[in-house]
């Protein structure tokens, strides 16, 4: 039987489950209830149960969840039990920040190389991954089995990098360029909008002003 | 009457509305229906209407939304019609990437300074903002009216920067350090988890394998 595509809301919550379970496991917690997990994550116990049941249900009535088992299962669901080969287009601040980021390097995501057109950067290495000239990008893709392209170029170059990767059979793109890229046939894409969380934060500040009566505006128009 | 706190789901969707409306406005679109906006954003027409009604309702039956008006209103709701003074703790790749990021600099978010303990970085500038030594962080906060602290330090230093900012009356923290910081009394915080979107992407690849029957595992345990 074919599985239904999991909703974006659930797909977005999965990494949060994994993070919290990893922290709990590291703190020596072996079991907890859906209510306790919900309190940690800002979700209701029933949302927790629904989400986890979506993947088969790992809890037991009256016992709750076994933390290491649930963490391992959610990790497998996200494919963290295997290696993911990545390349990064753009070796500027964002590209280098991604190559340095510790969290996912420990989870099997491996950066094989970075690509840039800046001759001053070519020849350097970031965390052992060489910075190569973009002119060899296509031949590199042909010679290596790359699963994920990280796009950290200026907006104007993002589409070209994506198209070259798609043609070479790369399966997914993690896009940091400030432009929403539509997904080529057969690929998955995640568009990261760094400033979205800043704007949500700014909204919360404005909301707080309104709640405290310190602002002249209200949401509701007269 | 006091307003209720808007749900996290709606607060998270607001920046997406703003982004899409900005693009539509730039493309010369002046009006569109909730159905059209929903298709662009991957939401149903009824979700769109519900979200927007939450803020007072800017649409007209049979006309839809006036794009520039709705964009301006959502911008005001997020406080984008005023300046936000920020400082960045940590002038490594992430801190510098944030200072360079073009999207929010155009929306009134202004970086006044970066702080680091690395003497090699102190004295440089990023987009006109000086990199200062962390030893002057507290006195800088006392002398400037800073609204938002960006935390781009290693995990071990994040809490100290947050506490100093909280004591100085900074209202919000935008945290890129790979550690979930709990929010001090009176502050708002957004914890950014860069790798979450990568893990969601990895999940989608695994899901695709399962749907296409290429993987041996299924969600549902036997």
């Amino acid at each position: 039987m074919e599985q239904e595509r999991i909703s974006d809301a659930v797909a977005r919550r999965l990494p949060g489950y994994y993070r919290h379970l990893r922290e709990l496991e590291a703190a020596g917690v072996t079991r907890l209830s859906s209510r306790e997990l919900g309190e940690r994550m800002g979700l209701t116990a029933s949302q927790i149960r629904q989400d986890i049941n979506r993947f088969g249900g790992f809890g037991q009535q009256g016992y709750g969840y076994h933390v290491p088992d649930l963490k391992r299962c959610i990790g497998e669901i996200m494919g963290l039990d295997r290696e993911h080969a990545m390349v990064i287009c753009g070796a500027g601040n964002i590209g280098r920040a991604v190559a340095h980021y510790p969290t996912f390097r420990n989870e099997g995501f491996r950066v094989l190389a970075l690509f840039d057109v800046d001759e001053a950067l070519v020849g350097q290495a970031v965390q052992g991954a060489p910075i190569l000239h973009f002119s060899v990008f296509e031949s590199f893709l042909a010679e290596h089995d790359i699963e994920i392209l990280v796009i950290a170029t200026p907006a104007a170059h993002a589409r070209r990098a994506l198209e070259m990767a798609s043609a070479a059979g790369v399966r997914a793109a993690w896009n940091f360029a400030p432009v929403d890229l539509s997904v080529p046939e057969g690929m998955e894409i995640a568009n990261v909008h760094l400033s979205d969380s800043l704007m949500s934060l700014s909204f919360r500040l404005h909301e707080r002003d309104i709640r405290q009566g310190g602002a002249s505006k209200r949401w509701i128009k007269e």
Side-chain angles (χ1 to χ4, degrees), chain A:
Chain A
M1 196 188 77
E2 208 190 313
Q3 313 269 324
E4 267 177 49
R5 187 175 162 98
I6 301 284
S7 75
D8 281 341
V10 176
R12 264 198 304 268
R13 280 199 289 273
L14 276 175
Y17 279 106
Y18 190 76
R19 248 190 299 115
H20 285 278
L21 291 164
R22 189 175 52 201
E23 282 165 23
L24 287 161
E25 186 182 41
V29 177
T30 52
R31 55 182 267 195
L32 90 173
S33 67
S34 45
R35 189 181 51 74
E36 290 163 324
L37 186 53
E39 275 169 14
R40 250 186 103 95
M41 295 186 58
L43 298 168
T44 66
S46 117
Q47 274 177 306
I48 298 275
R49 283 192 299 268
Q50 247 177 47
D51 282 359
I52 294 178
N53 282 338
R54 188 70 190 78
F55 297 100
F58 307 93
Q60 268 178 274
Q61 193 78 39
Y63 177 87
Y65 299 108
H66 184 261
V67 170
D69 281 359
L70 184 58
K71 180 204 148 215
R72 188 179 40 76
C73 288
I74 290 183
E76 284 174 9
I77 284 165
M78 295 195 296
L80 304 187
D81 54 341
R82 55 187 184 81
E83 284 254 314
H84 302 268
M86 321 205 303
V87 290
I88 302 177
C89 258
N93 289 308
I94 292 187
R96 289 203 304 271
V98 168
H100 273 290
Y101 209 67
T103 323
F104 63 81
R105 281 195 291 121
N106 305 332
E107 303 291 355
F109 296 91
R110 205 154 61 86
V111 176
L112 268 65
L114 297 87
F115 295 86
D116 209 291
V117 291
D118 184 345
E119 301 284 357
L121 296 172
V122 172
Q124 296 182 21
V126 186
Q127 294 283 338
I131 303 180
L132 307 176
H133 197 279
F134 187 67
S135 59
V136 300
F137 183 54
E138 236 169 343
S139 61
F140 188 94
L141 291 179
E143 284 157 23
H144 297 81
D145 193 11
I146 302 298
E147 188 179 32
I148 300 170
L149 165 69
V150 183
I151 304 176
T153 64
H157 305 300
R159 171 145 306 282
R160 186 162 145 70
L162 180 64
E163 280 166 5
M164 287 165 87
S166 168
V170 173
R171 299 180 68 205
W174 193 26
N175 177 37
F176 286 84
V179 54
D180 255 332
L181 295 172
S182 58
V183 52
E185 179 73 25
M187 269 183 108
E188 296 283 341
I189 194 163
N191 291 300
V192 179
H193 298 284
L194 274 189
S195 45
D196 276 13
S197 52
L198 176 63
M199 293 195 185
S200 291
L201 195 60
S202 172
F203 162 71
R204 287 296 188 200
L205 291 178
H206 186 206
E207 180 189 40
R208 193 177 271 226
D209 288 340
I210 288 177
R211 286 158 61 94
Q212 293 171 348
S216 58
K217 280 185 213 107
R218 305 185 72 89
W219 305 148
I220 312 296
K221 303 264 167 165
E222 308 302 324

